[in-house]
C-alpha cells in the first residue's frame, strides 16, 4: 500500500511538472469569458455489478476565460466492502459533494491538463451486524448491531486532471486524486469503517482515479 501511494504521488507530481512546462506560445487569442460544462463519472457506473459498491457521480464546471475552473461535484454511494468485519455484515450509504477551483492549460491540440484543490464533505448512515459464536457453548454468543444515522466526514483533495476534446460538444478525461482526511464522527466501541466518497476511515490519505465524460456548452 505504501509503494502504491508513493507511486500515485509521483504520478501527481510528474503530471504537475508537465503542466508547468506547457508551452502556450500558440494559445488561442480569443477566449470565451465563460464555458459551462456538465460531466458524468462513467467509471463509477462500472462498479454497479460488483459486490463492493454502487456509485453515481457527476459534476458541473464553470471555466472562466478558458483558464480558471470552478468545480462542483456530487455523488451517492453505497459501500458493502467484503471483510469489513470477519464475522458479520456491513453497509455504509450516503451522499457527498466536493467544491474547488484550479488552473487549466492547453497541453497539446485538443488536450488540456489542469490542477485543482477541492474541499469535500459526506453525510452517511452505517448499518451492520457482528456475530461471534462460542464454539463450546460455555459463553454466550456475542451480537453487536450497528445502526448509525447522519454521520459526517470532511476531507481535502489535490486533483490533477486531463481531458481530450472529441468534438465541439464532448470530451473525455481522467482525474487523479489524492484525498486527505480532515475529520469524521468517530464512534465507539466499533468505529466508522467506510466513508462514501472518501474510502476507509482509518487511512489518513487515499489515492483515487476516475474517468469522466464531459459535455460543454
Amino acid at each position: 500500500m505504501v509503494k502504491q501511494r508513493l507511486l500515485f504521488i509521483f504520478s501527481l507530481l510528474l503530471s504537475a511538472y508537465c503542466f508547468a512546462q506547457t508551452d502556450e506560445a500558440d494559445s488561442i487569442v480569443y477566449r470565451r469569458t465563460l464555458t459551462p460544462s456538465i460531466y458524468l463519472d462513467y467509471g463509477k457506473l462500472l462498479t454497479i455489478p460488483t459486490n463492493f459498491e454502487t456509485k453515481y457521480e457527476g459534476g458541473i464546471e464553470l471555466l472562466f476565460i478558458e483558464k480558471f475552473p470552478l468545480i462542483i461535484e456530487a455523488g451517492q454511494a453505497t459501500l458493502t466492502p467484503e471483510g469489513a468485519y470477519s464475522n458479520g455484515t456491513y453497509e455504509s450509504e450516503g451522499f457527498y459533494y466536493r467544491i474547488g477551483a484550479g488552473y487549466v492549460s492547453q497541453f497539446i491540440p485538443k488536450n488540456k491538463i489542469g490542477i485543482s484543490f477541492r474541499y469535500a464533505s459526506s453525510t452517511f448512515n452505517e448499518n451492520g451486524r457482528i456475530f461471534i459464536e462460542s464454539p463450546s457453548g460455555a459463553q454466550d454468543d456475542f451480537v453487536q448491531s450497528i445502526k448509525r444515522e447522519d454521520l459526517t466526514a470532511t476531507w481535502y483533495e489535490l486533483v490533477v486532471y486531463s481531458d481530450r476534446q472529441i468534438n465541439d460538444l464532448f470530451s473525455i478525461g481522467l482525474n487523479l486524486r489524492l484525498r486527505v482526511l480532515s475529520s469524521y464522527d468517530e464512534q465507539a466501541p466499533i468505529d466508522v469503517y467506510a466513508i462514501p466518497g472518501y474510502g476507509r476511515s482509518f487511512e489518513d490519505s487515499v489515492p483515487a482515479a476516475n474517468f469522466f465524460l464531459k459535455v460543454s456548452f
Side-chain angles (χ1 to χ4, degrees):
M1 179 61 71
V2 174
K3 290 184 178 179
Q4 292 177 345
R5 196 163 296 168
L6 290 174
L7 180 60
F8 189 85
I9 293 172
F10 174 77
S11 299
L12 282 175
L13 294 175
L14 180 61
S15 299
Y17 173 78
C18 293
F19 169 77
Q21 297 300 313
T22 301
D23 182 6
E24 298 192 62
D26 58 347
S27 60
I28 301 173
V29 174
Y30 170 76
R31 293 191 176 98
R32 294 180 60 184
T33 302
L34 177 64
T35 304
S37 302
I38 59 174
Y39 59 91
L40 171 70
D41 183 347
Y42 66 86
K44 294 289 187 292
L45 300 179
L46 300 179
T47 67
I48 292 177
T50 70
N51 294 325
F52 177 73
E53 63 184 2
T54 302
K55 286 188 178 182
Y56 303 92
E57 183 177 312
I60 298 172
E61 179 186 271
L62 300 177
L63 184 61
F64 297 92
I65 60 172
E66 300 186 20
K67 290 292 181 183
F68 305 102
L70 174 65
I71 302 161
I72 302 173
E73 299 173 309
Q76 187 275 336
T78 301
L79 309 180
T80 53
E82 296 182 2
Y85 303 114
S86 57
N87 297 290
T89 60
Y90 176 82
E91 181 179 278
S92 177
E93 185 273 334
F95 171 84
Y96 58 93
Y97 73 89
R98 311 183 190 97
I99 184 169
Y103 183 80
V104 176
S105 180
Q106 192 79 30
F107 184 49
I108 56 177
K110 296 187 177 182
N111 286 261
K112 292 182 179 179
I113 187 168
I115 187 169
S116 70
F117 295 93
R118 305 180 192 181
Y119 167 83
S121 179
S122 178
T123 301
F124 59 100
N125 303 326
E126 280 192 314
N127 291 283
R129 185 172 181 269
I130 299 174
F131 179 76
I132 301 176
E133 183 179 6
S134 174
S136 64
Q139 298 179 345
D140 294 336
D141 296 336
F142 174 80
V143 179
Q144 175 72 54
S145 295
I146 300 172
K147 186 173 179 60
R148 302 164 180 160
E149 297 182 349
D150 297 325
L151 300 176
T152 61
T154 61
W155 66 95
Y156 298 93
E157 296 187 2
L158 169 64
V159 184
V160 174
Y161 61 99
S162 65
D163 64 62
R164 176 173 176 80
Q165 185 178 0
I166 300 175
N167 52 40
D168 292 339
L169 189 62
F170 294 103
S171 301
I172 55 173
L174 169 67
N175 284 321
L176 295 176
R177 305 176 185 266
L178 182 62
R179 301 168 178 161
V180 180
L181 187 61
S182 175
S183 65
Y184 70 96
D185 292 337
E186 298 185 39
Q187 303 293 308
I190 301 173
D191 201 3
V192 170
Y193 186 86
I195 300 169
Y198 177 81
R200 292 177 292 192
S201 63
F202 51 85
E203 294 187 333
D204 293 333
S205 61
V206 176
N210 59 288
F211 299 91
F212 60 86
L213 173 67
K214 180 189 293 185
V215 182
S216 300
F217 303 96

